Amino acid sequence: MNILELLKIIFLGIVEGITEWLPISSTGHMLLVDEFLTLNMSESFKEMFFVVIQLGAILAVVVMFWNKMFPFRLKEKPICDMGIIWMWVKVAVACVPAAVLGILFDDFLEEHFGNAITISLMLILYGIAFILIENWNKKRTPNVTDIEHINYKTALMIGLFQALSMIPGTSRSGATIIGALLLGVSRTAAAEFTFFLAVPTMLGASLIKLLKFGLSFQAEELIALIAGMAVAFIVSLLSIRFLMNYVRKHDFKVFGWYRIALGIIVILLCTL
């Protein structure tokens, strides 16, 4: 692998680490970057790479939220935290819609909607949604202020919103956060539940892509994948910390305006 391709991989890892957790669509940004800074790999590898690179981002979330995600305390009593166990049950419920729809429609959606125009339109659409919902939320008090009080019905509804992110440009975190806000969940709890939900969702999506691609990698493909995940991991640590600090004092409208601006710019570039 030459130095130029390695720099592209590092750049894509940075893009993944930033955009995976901010509600601005990581896959959308990755596909847009590839439109203008094409990675010199096979299409089948890139299709897999743009998803599996998320494993680095997942590891960052697990490291940062280990105490909230891992239910067993070997040196404490009680040994098992049942609150965390039940939270994972709710996460499993929330994963069902995306899992079912992903198996049925993943290939179709990628084939027909994995293009710059669709991504741009989704960026704009959900950017407008963020602004409208945040304006509406000014007059409301959240019913749920921490993830422990998210019930099974709310978890399933959030999961249905997450399924919308199968369309490139939507943003998995963006769709789940919008859904959670509409259901009366606070910004902080919405962001935190998104992190929990990301782990099985992204692990499942990555596994599917790896199985489709096959586990036989060329040397440069393996280097690209490992390098991309490593960079995504490091950058994700910073992104998650930023987002959690940001949402304690601010709303999500700035991400809405960013999405709209980026979507318009890409449409203009595609039509010129």
Side-chain angles (χ1 to χ4, degrees), residues 157-220:
M157 293 299 292
I158 293 174
L160 288 170
F161 276 95
Q162 178 182 240
L164 297 173
S165 66
M166 291 170 59
I167 300 176
T170 298
S171 169
R172 189 199 56 78
S173 61
T176 54
I177 287 171
I178 282 176
L181 292 177
L182 285 172
L183 294 167
V185 180
S186 70
R187 295 186 191 96
T188 303
E192 199 166 309
F193 190 72
T194 294
F195 297 148
F196 270 82
L197 191 52
V199 175
T201 300
M202 292 159 63
L203 279 174
S206 297
L207 179 60
I208 291 171
K209 291 297 182 185
L210 280 171
L211 291 175
K212 285 183 178 179
F213 180 76
L215 299 178
S216 178
F217 293 93
Q218 296 179 11
E220 66 174 13

Side-chain angles (χ1 to χ4, degrees), residues 60-235:
V61 126
V62 172
V63 168
M64 292 193 70
F65 288 88
W66 178 256
N67 289 333
K68 289 189 174 185
M69 290 185 169
F70 188 68
F72 302 107
R73 306 285 186 265
L74 301 181
K75 297 181 180 180
E76 300 176 15
K77 292 185 178 181
I79 293 176
C80 181
D81 187 330
M82 290 307 298
I84 296 178
I85 294 290
W86 290 121
M87 176 52 62
W88 281 117
V89 175
K90 294 173 187 176
V91 169
V93 169
C95 286
V96 171
V100 173
L101 294 174
I103 291 171
L104 294 175
F105 300 111
D106 182 60
D107 290 338
F108 174 83
L109 291 172
E110 280 195 3
E111 181 181 350
H112 292 86
F113 297 101
N115 56 72
I117 294 298
T118 298
I119 292 168
S120 301
L121 291 175
M122 291 300 102
L123 285 169
I124 294 170
L125 176 63
Y126 284 89
I128 293 171
F130 263 118
I131 294 168
L132 293 177
I133 290 168
E134 285 290 16
N135 286 337
W136 177 57
N137 259 347
K138 287 181 180 179
K139 303 174 183 178
R140 302 170 71 220
T141 300
N143 300 320
V144 179
T145 57
D146 56 70
I147 60 172
E148 289 79 8
H149 292 98
I150 292 176
N151 58 35
Y152 291 99
K153 179 181 177 182
T154 301
L156 179 60
M157 293 299 292
I158 293 174
L160 288 170
F161 276 95
Q162 178 182 240
L164 297 173
S165 66
M166 291 170 59
I167 300 176
T170 298
S171 169
R172 189 199 56 78
S173 61
T176 54
I177 287 171
I178 282 176
L181 292 177
L182 285 172
L183 294 167
V185 180
S186 70
R187 295 186 191 96
T188 303
E192 199 166 309
F193 190 72
T194 294
F195 297 148
F196 270 82
L197 191 52
V199 175
T201 300
M202 292 159 63
L203 279 174
S206 297
L207 179 60
I208 291 171
K209 291 297 182 185
L210 280 171
L211 291 175
K212 285 183 178 179
F213 180 76
L215 299 178
S216 178
F217 293 93
Q218 296 179 11
E220 66 174 13
E221 291 175 338
L222 189 59
I223 292 170
L225 194 57
I226 292 173
M229 288 192 293
V231 174
F233 168 74
I234 295 168
V235 177

